[in-house]
Amino acid sequence: MVKKEKQSKLQTGVIIYFTLIGIWLISWLVVGDANWFLTLLNRIVPFLFIPAPVLLVWVAFVRRLKLIIPLMVPVFIFASLYHPYLFPKLTKPTTEDPELKIMTYNVLFSNSNYEAVAGVILDYLPDLVALQEVQPEMMNELIVRLHDEYPYHLMGTTNDYGTTAVFSKHSLIEFYVLDLQADRPAVVVRTKVNNKEITFVAVHLLAYNLWWTKLPDIPEVVMQRTASQNRQARIVIDEISKEHGIVIVGCDCNSYETTSSYRIFGKFMNNAARQTGWFLSESELPGTQQDRYLQHIDYVWYDGYVTAKSVYKIQDNGGSDHFPVLAIFDMK
């Protein structure tokens, strides 16, 4: 009798979990971030699937094999959402095309370890660097330390918590600061690499920072900041949609792959980490890991005649609270 009661509770738990995952999936596909609760839920999606393997082991242990079928549905949903980071490719295609190296790096507004930040950049020598949370003092120090390799640069309008900036090895054809109608602007530059014109943008979307928000204010604040993120993303997309060549965006987007601002970017651009996925046979650059984290907020987006070859997360953060992301492209 006790055994049957436990089995009945297990079956009820599986059905409830299966139903809740189904409700979330439909809501995410249809409604998205339309209300504050779903917005917060969509920011923790990988954790919603933790019960699935636990329940599968339990079901297998008690030999309730019929319950495996409903539990495989959330497993399939999880795999479809994150498959580039879960399933390795055995071999990596090689080409003779020239390489283009891009870095995006949130240096942390309070970071004064200028030598370490410059060292990270100089260790990997990307062609173009998008920085976020740069203070004027850091910008001045980096200009001095990076001058030999990166004589071209532009910083956005200042902000108490730092702003965006770009460093380039290559001379700039055009450059300007783009107002995103929020606390930080974007920095846009155009240059040529291997005789191909590239538009490069450094972006930092508004953060939620809910730990500074009073509980009763959370619903309103979440919706305001989601609307701000989406507006910023649309401004960037509207701006770069004027371009016909290669366009690359280095972004601290403060949003995950299941959020609405990600969808705005993803509708028009490719996420380099998702496109490259995980290569089992790849020998990684020293001091890096392939960027397979399920909860990204730092992205290299791209469009045009380049192909993402590898994306790495550099393990030396130079005193920041973010790890720099290095994307390597083949230029067709």
Side-chain angles (χ1 to χ4, degrees):
M1 186 69 177
V2 174
K3 183 178 180 181
K4 287 185 177 180
E5 287 181 359
K6 287 183 178 179
Q7 291 180 345
S8 176
K9 288 180 180 179
L10 174 59
Q11 180 173 328
T12 302
V14 169
I15 293 171
I16 290 173
Y17 178 63
F18 170 83
T19 303
L20 290 176
I21 285 292
I23 292 171
W24 167 79
L25 179 64
I26 294 169
S27 301
W28 176 65
L29 291 172
V30 176
V31 180
D33 289 342
N35 66 63
W36 71 272
F37 178 75
L38 283 175
T39 298
L40 294 181
L41 199 61
N42 291 339
R43 292 179 64 81
I44 60 167
V45 168
F47 302 99
L48 303 181
F49 293 90
I50 290 176
V54 176
L55 288 171
L56 276 170
V57 171
W58 190 357
V59 163
F61 181 75
V62 299
R63 299 181 181 179
R64 295 297 304 275
L65 301 183
K66 289 183 179 180
L67 296 178
I68 290 178
I69 296 175
L71 284 175
M72 288 307 295
V73 173
V75 171
F76 175 78
I77 294 170
F78 180 76
S80 65
L81 287 172
Y82 299 108
H83 64 89
Y85 312 120
L86 301 175
F87 304 112
K89 302 170 185 176
L90 297 180
T91 58
K92 179 178 178 179
T94 58
T95 70
E96 298 297 326
D97 297 322
E99 285 188 346
L100 172 70
K101 295 168 69 175
I102 301 293
M103 181 183 287
T104 185
Y105 184 8
N106 182 321
V107 296
L108 183 61
F109 72 95
S110 58
N111 186 4
S112 59
N113 197 342
Y114 313 126
E115 188 66 32
V117 171
V120 171
I121 297 170
L122 292 172
D123 280 346
Y124 296 93
L125 292 174
D127 293 276
L128 293 157
V129 184
L131 299 179
Q132 299 88 24
E133 295 194 20
V134 182
Q135 296 283 25
E137 296 85 353
M138 176 171 283
M139 189 67 184
N140 292 335
E141 293 289 339
L142 292 179
I143 288 172
V144 173
R145 287 171 165 80
L146 300 177
H147 180 266
D148 290 344
E149 294 288 344
Y150 297 92
Y152 310 102
H153 45 78
L154 178 65
M155 178 180 174
T157 51
T158 58
N159 178 275
D160 289 343
Y161 295 98
T163 189
T164 50
V166 165
F167 280 85
S168 172
K169 284 183 174 183
H170 311 277
S171 60
L172 303 181
I173 302 168
E174 185 180 0
F175 49 89
Y176 57 95
V177 175
L178 177 65
D179 182 12
L180 297 187
Q181 301 177 20
D183 52 352
R184 298 178 178 98
V187 170
V188 185
V189 304
R190 292 189 184 91
T191 185
K192 278 191 174 182
V193 181
N194 293 317
N195 295 317
K196 294 187 178 181
E197 189 168 307
I198 297 173
T199 299
F200 184 59
V201 190
V203 178
H204 191 178
L205 300 188
L206 189 68
Y208 281 83
N209 292 335
L210 294 180
W211 48 85
W212 294 335
T213 304
K214 295 178 180 178
L215 283 176
D217 297 334
I218 284 179
E220 182 181 359
V221 169
V222 167
M223 296 314 297
Q224 286 176 349
R225 293 180 183 173
T226 300
S228 294
Q229 275 197 357
N230 293 345
R231 182 177 64 251
Q232 291 175 288
R234 290 191 188 99
I235 291 172
V236 173
I237 292 299
D238 287 345
E239 186 71 13
I240 64 178
S241 64
K242 305 170 187 175
E243 306 299 327
H244 300 290
I246 298 168
V247 181
I248 300 178
V249 176
C251 182
D252 175 357
C253 288
N254 279 308
S255 56
Y256 306 125
E257 294 193 13
T258 45
T259 56
S260 52
S261 58
Y262 179 93
R263 287 185 179 187
I264 293 170
F265 276 106
K267 188 175 180 180
F268 299 95
M269 304 192 78
N270 301 296
N271 168 8
R274 190 172 185 87
Q275 291 297 313
T276 58
W278 172 22
F279 291 103
L280 192 63
S281 61
E282 182 172 71
S283 57
E284 298 178 347
L285 291 176
T288 71
Q289 293 180 351
Q290 292 184 61
D291 190 7
R292 299 190 295 113
Y293 187 51
L294 302 187
Q295 291 285 80
H296 290 97
I297 61 172
D298 296 301
Y299 301 90
V300 176
W301 297 96
Y302 71 97
D303 186 41
Y305 296 106
V306 291
T307 302
K309 182 178 179 180
S310 303
V311 181
Y312 301 102
K313 188 159 283 190
I314 297 169
Q315 298 306 290
D316 180 1
N317 62 10
S320 176
D321 57 347
H322 287 239
F323 292 102
V325 174
L326 180 69
I328 301 176
F329 297 87
D330 282 336
M331 301 186 72
K332 297 180 182 178

